[in-house]
Amino acid sequence: MRVVSTIQEVREQVKAWKKEALSIGFVPTMGYLHEGHGSLITNARQNNDKVIVSIFVNPMQFGPTEDLASYPRDLEKDSAFCKSLGVDLIFHPEPEEMYTKNFCSYVDMDVLTKELCGLSRPLHFRGVCTVVNKLFNIVKPDRAYFGQKDAQQLAIIRRMVEDLNMDIQIIGCPIVREEDGLAKSSRNTYLSQEERKAALCLSRSIKMGQALVEAGERDAEKVIARMQEEINKEPLATIDYVKCVNGLTMQQIEHIEGPILVAIAVYIGKTRLIDNFMME
């Protein structure tokens, strides 16, 4: 396994693999890898000849008051984790490598980015779309793998790939959870012991909402109200949003039908966590 930090090094390696007609699976990450990332890498390993993982804490997708400086980083641990899963190449650039001095080009999107996380983080998805577009241009993967925990991001990336006619297959992989139900996230490391326990209100709420829909409830407002009630039982929790949206357009719906996404964002103390469930 190689760890490289320049675009040129990635391109040279990809060019060599393409000459041999080898397929490339790509897992873009911000590092501090856990079993959720591991499931993406394992999927990529099983279905491609070569696997590339990018580890880049993208400054463009953080707001001015968000946790860019404190976001957890551990390249040594991440490298060992990747090597154990059979990754062939890690791309770990510095911000200056990805965004040159006079950088002024962005990839933006309407509609899908205006709901859910896009409301409280208005520049977030412009940063996501821009960096993922750049990474796709650098790596030129056949398949790229994203977790369904970031369901809005997954929908946005799929739409970007379709709209911009990118010849890349986007693979969504299921949420990986801790034994007690908490969705795995790099930001879970921010939680104190008390907050970690309090955070279980997210998965309890998700489980409750999913059970209601599976039992036949089709009134989105009733599902949301019950989920909010469950979260509000926890004193350390502050709701950012609990919403039911169309799974393709991310627009709020009143009647539950077709592909849906029920998504939540909750602050536990100062840490913002997200979770969701999707149903066809």
Side-chain angles (χ1 to χ4, degrees), residues 59-128:
M60 193 183 289
Q61 68 191 66
F62 287 79
T65 62
E66 294 180 339
D67 58 342
L68 174 61
S70 62
Y71 194 86
R73 298 162 169 86
D74 191 337
L75 181 60
E76 185 176 348
K77 182 180 177 183
D78 288 347
S79 297
F81 185 67
C82 287
K83 187 174 182 179
S84 73
L85 295 175
V87 171
D88 298 285
L89 183 73
I90 292 176
F91 178 40
H92 178 58
E94 294 296 326
E96 295 76 19
E97 178 72 9
M98 293 295 287
Y99 303 115
T100 53
K101 184 179 179 181
N102 296 313
F103 187 89
C104 58
S105 301
Y106 304 93
V107 179
D108 210 344
M109 185 182 293
D110 201 1
V111 184
L112 276 74
T113 61
K114 305 304 182 186
E115 259 294 349
L116 305 178
C117 290
L119 287 173
S120 58
R121 307 181 73 191
L123 296 178
H124 173 70
F125 287 116
R126 184 176 81 163
V128 170

Side-chain angles (χ1 to χ4, degrees), residues 246-275:
N246 179 285
L248 300 177
T249 66
M250 299 292 111
Q251 299 307 294
Q252 291 187 68
I253 57 176
E254 295 179 358
H255 182 73
I256 295 174
E257 61 182 351
I260 66 154
L261 166 67
V262 178
I264 64 178
V266 179
Y267 286 92
I268 303 296
K270 294 182 179 180
T271 303
R272 186 177 183 274
L273 301 176
I274 59 174
D275 205 341

Side-chain angles (χ1 to χ4, degrees), residues 94-222:
E94 294 296 326
E96 295 76 19
E97 178 72 9
M98 293 295 287
Y99 303 115
T100 53
K101 184 179 179 181
N102 296 313
F103 187 89
C104 58
S105 301
Y106 304 93
V107 179
D108 210 344
M109 185 182 293
D110 201 1
V111 184
L112 276 74
T113 61
K114 305 304 182 186
E115 259 294 349
L116 305 178
C117 290
L119 287 173
S120 58
R121 307 181 73 191
L123 296 178
H124 173 70
F125 287 116
R126 184 176 81 163
V128 170
C129 288
T130 301
V131 77
V132 171
N133 196 302
K134 285 176 64 67
L135 289 167
F136 284 173
N137 286 332
I138 295 164
V139 174
K140 300 187 183 303
D142 298 281
R143 302 174 187 89
Y145 297 80
F146 295 83
Q148 290 179 357
K149 181 176 75 68
D150 298 298
Q152 185 178 16
Q153 173 179 275
L154 175 59
I156 286 167
I157 297 302
R158 281 180 168 150
R159 171 56 63 180
M160 180 182 75
V161 165
E162 180 179 346
D163 286 354
L164 301 184
N165 306 110
M166 298 180 178
D167 189 19
I168 301 169
Q169 185 180 2
I170 303 300
I171 311 294
C173 298
I175 295 173
V176 176
R177 298 183 180 276
E178 303 284 358
E179 288 185 9
D180 58 9
L182 183 66
K184 287 187 178 288
S185 170
S186 300
R187 288 187 169 95
N188 290 348
T189 58
Y190 297 162
L191 302 172
S192 68
Q193 188 173 353
E194 183 183 12
E195 289 172 337
R196 173 65 179 75
K197 184 177 179 180
L200 294 178
C201 69
L202 278 83
S203 54
R204 287 198 303 269
S205 172
I206 289 295
K207 189 175 181 179
M208 174 182 289
Q210 191 165 8
L212 286 169
V213 176
E214 289 175 347
E217 180 60 70
R218 293 295 176 262
D219 187 328
E221 188 174 336
K222 289 182 180 178

